[in-house]
Structures are given as structure tokens and as C-alpha cells.
Amino acid sequence: GTMVAYLLLAETVGFVLLVGALLLGLLLRLGSRISTSVVVAGLFTPAVYHIFFHLLRVPLPRGFWGW
């Protein structure tokens, strides 16, 4: 379901917001505490964005806010 959501919403919402929300939702669904899930999603999402967009130069969807 998350892959379909990413495919359908990535261009509109953008990589950072969508992946952060999807990761947070998956972590909560797996039973993690809310505080841990927010911290992991908040740190992991920008790190992945930086690695793929800046270091590997993979074009990622920027979304309506330009992230």
C-alpha cells in the first residue's frame, strides 16, 4: 500500500513530506512508540534525501513546496 501511495502522490506531495509520513505510519503500525517513530522519521528522511539527491544526484520529486 505504501508503494502505491508513493507512486500516486510523490509528484504532488514531494519526496520529503511523503516519505516522512509513510515512514512514520509504518513505524507506528509496527508498534514503535510515537516519540521514537517521530525521531527516526525526522532524522532518516532528510538523510536519505541528502544521500540520493545531493551525493548520488538522483532526481527526486520536489512537490508543491519545492522540497
Side-chain angles (χ1 to χ4, degrees):
T2 56
M3 294 305 293
V4 173
Y6 181 82
L7 290 172
L8 294 175
L9 300 173
E11 290 295 325
T12 307
V13 178
F15 178 83
V16 174
L17 294 176
L18 184 60
V19 169
L22 291 175
L23 180 59
L24 180 64
L26 288 172
L27 286 169
L28 292 174
R29 181 151 170 90
L30 288 172
S32 298
R33 294 186 321 201
I34 293 174
S35 59
T36 304
S37 300
V38 169
V39 169
V40 169
L43 293 175
F44 187 71
T45 303
V48 169
Y49 179 80
H50 178 73
I51 290 169
F52 279 91
F53 190 76
H54 293 289
L55 300 177
L56 299 175
R57 300 190 188 273
V58 175
L60 297 172
R62 297 184 67 87
F64 56 86
W65 281 344
W67 288 359

